[in-house]
Amino acid sequence: MMRNKAPIRRIAWGYASLIGLAVIQQLAVYLKIYMNQSYTTQDFVFSIVSLGALILGFVIPVGVSVVLGFIYLVAYFVWLVTYADVNVLTFSWWLLIPANAVVAAFIKASLVRKARVIERLQELKGRNPEIDLDTSLGNKGALADTLVKQSNLARRYSEQYGFSMAMFKIEFLPLVLESLGSVRYAQFLLELSTTIQKQIRFEDYKFFVDRGRFVIICPMTNAEYMPILKQRIKKAMMDLQIIDKRGNELQTVIRTGALVFHKEQFSKYKDIDAVIAALERNTETDLIGEYI
C-alpha cells in the first residue's frame, strides 16, 4: 500500500476547485435573480453551457480546450460590447465558461499523470525487493538482489572485497507453530529479528526466506570469524524466553550453516534457490561449507 498520500490530496484539491467554480456560478445566478427578479432563457442556456464546459474539459485534450477557450473569450467579448445587456451574470459567463473548460482539462491532465505515477510505483513495488516494516527483514527477492550485488562487488574487487553469509533455521518448525499459534509465532519472528540485529553490524543484511529460515549477509567478514559470529547469534536466539499459548516456555532449537564467497563459483550465486539450498545443507552439520 502506498503511504505517500500526496496524489490523493491533489485529487481532492482538484475536485474542490471544480466545486468552487460551480458554487461561484450559482452565486452569480442568485445575485442576478435577486437584483433583477428575473431569470431569462438566455441565462438558462449559459448555465447549461457552463456545465457542458466542465464535461468538455474532461473529454477533449488540454490544447484544444485552451484554443476553444481563447476563441470563446474573443467572440463573447465582441458580443458583450455590441449586443449584450451588460450585467453581473452576463459578464460572469465571459470568464466562468472558459474557466470551467480549462480548469477541468488541467485537472484531468493532472489526474492522468498522477494515475500513471501511481501505476509506475505499484509496478516498481512488485519488481523491487521489499523489507517488512515490522521485523525489518528482507524477503527472498531482497536476498536475491543483495546477493547479486555483493557477488558482483566481490568478483570485481576480489583482492579487497568479500562477504560471507549464514542461515539460522528454526528446528521442529511444525511443533513450534502448533505451540505458539499464528499471533505468537509472528511475535516470535519479530523478537528473533531484533535479536539478530543486535548481534550483527549496521552494514550487514538480514532476511527471512520462509519455513523458519533467516539469512544474513556480512560484507567484509573473514571466514575465520564466521563460526564465532554464527554461534553467538545462534546462542542469543536460543536464549530468548518465549511463552507458548499454554503458558509454558518454548524450547527453541536453532541450526546454523554458512557460506563464504568464492570467485571461481561466481555464476552460481545468481541462482538464489541453489544458494538457499546450499545454506540449508550446511545447517545439518553446523559447519561452514563451501558452495558446491
Side-chain angles (χ1 to χ4, degrees):
M1 183 180 67
M2 288 186 59
R3 297 178 180 272
N4 186 0
K5 297 183 180 180
I8 298 176
R9 191 177 299 112
R10 290 169 183 168
I11 290 172
W13 276 110
Y15 281 115
S17 300
L18 288 180
I19 293 171
L21 281 173
V23 169
I24 292 173
Q25 292 170 185
Q26 291 299 317
L27 287 175
V29 170
Y30 295 151
L31 182 61
K32 168 68 164 45
I33 295 174
Y34 175 76
M35 295 177 63
N36 299 337
Q37 298 297 311
S38 66
Y39 189 68
T40 64
T41 303
Q42 174 182 294
D43 297 329
F44 176 76
V45 170
F46 276 115
S47 297
I48 297 300
V49 171
S50 67
L51 295 177
L54 290 175
I55 299 175
L56 284 177
F58 277 106
V59 174
I60 62 179
V62 178
V64 177
S65 297
V66 173
V67 173
L68 292 179
F70 178 76
I71 294 174
Y72 172 85
L73 286 173
V74 174
Y76 193 91
F77 179 77
V78 173
W79 175 80
L80 192 65
V81 298
T82 54
Y83 301 104
D85 180 19
V86 179
N87 55 54
V88 174
L89 193 58
T90 55
F91 184 79
S92 67
W93 297 141
W94 181 39
L95 300 176
L96 289 176
I97 290 178
N100 281 0
V102 172
V103 171
F106 176 78
I107 292 174
K108 181 195 75 171
S110 179
L111 294 182
V112 169
R113 286 196 299 268
K114 297 302 179 297
R116 288 174 179 171
V117 169
I118 292 174
E119 290 175 0
R120 180 59 177 165
L121 290 176
Q122 292 291 354
E123 180 185 351
L124 292 175
K125 181 181 177 182
R127 292 173 53 189
N128 288 346
E130 296 180 358
I131 303 296
D132 184 82
L133 296 178
D134 294 324
T135 63
S136 71
L137 288 163
N139 60 14
K140 184 178 177 181
L143 172 59
D145 184 74
T146 305
L147 186 59
V148 168
K149 293 178 180 177
Q150 290 294 318
S151 59
N152 276 322
L153 284 171
R155 181 181 66 92
R156 186 175 300 176
Y157 308 105
S158 57
E159 298 300 325
Q160 298 84 22
Y161 193 87
F163 69 92
S164 300
M165 54 194 308
M167 174 181 284
F168 303 89
K169 178 182 177 182
I170 302 174
E171 194 74 349
F172 311 115
L173 184 60
L175 181 60
V176 171
L177 287 170
E178 181 181 351
S179 300
L180 295 179
S182 58
V183 175
R184 284 186 173 84
Y185 179 67
Q187 182 64 30
F188 181 41
L189 295 181
L190 177 59
E191 294 187 19
L192 287 176
S193 173
T194 303
T195 300
I196 294 173
Q197 186 62 54
K198 290 178 180 179
Q199 301 297 323
I200 61 178
R201 303 165 301 179
F202 180 78
E203 60 269 23
D204 295 336
Y205 304 87
K206 58 179 181 175
F207 309 90
F208 183 71
V209 289
D210 67 42
R211 301 208 307 255
R213 297 174 298 176
F214 297 84
V215 175
I216 63 170
I217 294 180
C218 303
M220 302 299 291
T221 301
N222 295 329
E224 295 78 10
Y225 178 67
M226 280 305 294
I228 301 173
L229 175 62
K230 70 186 186 69
Q231 290 301 324
R232 188 178 73 224
I233 297 176
K234 172 183 175 181
K235 183 179 185 303
M237 295 172 71
M238 293 181 63
D239 286 344
L240 275 176
Q241 293 185 348
I242 304 297
I243 305 301
D244 63 20
K245 57 186 179 182
R246 297 181 180 178
N248 301 319
E249 184 175 349
L250 180 69
Q251 299 299 318
T252 307
V253 178
I254 304 293
R255 298 182 69 90
T256 70
L259 294 172
V260 178
F261 175 81
H262 292 279
K263 183 178 179 180
E264 61 273 14
Q265 298 171 336
F266 165 73
S267 61
K268 298 183 179 180
Y269 288 89
K270 297 179 182 179
D271 186 349
I272 187 61
D273 291 321
V275 174
I276 291 175
L279 282 168
E280 188 159 12
R281 286 196 301 270
N282 289 338
T283 64
E284 301 302 322
T285 59
D286 267 357
L287 296 173
I288 293 181
E290 293 187 359
Y291 182 45
I292 300 176

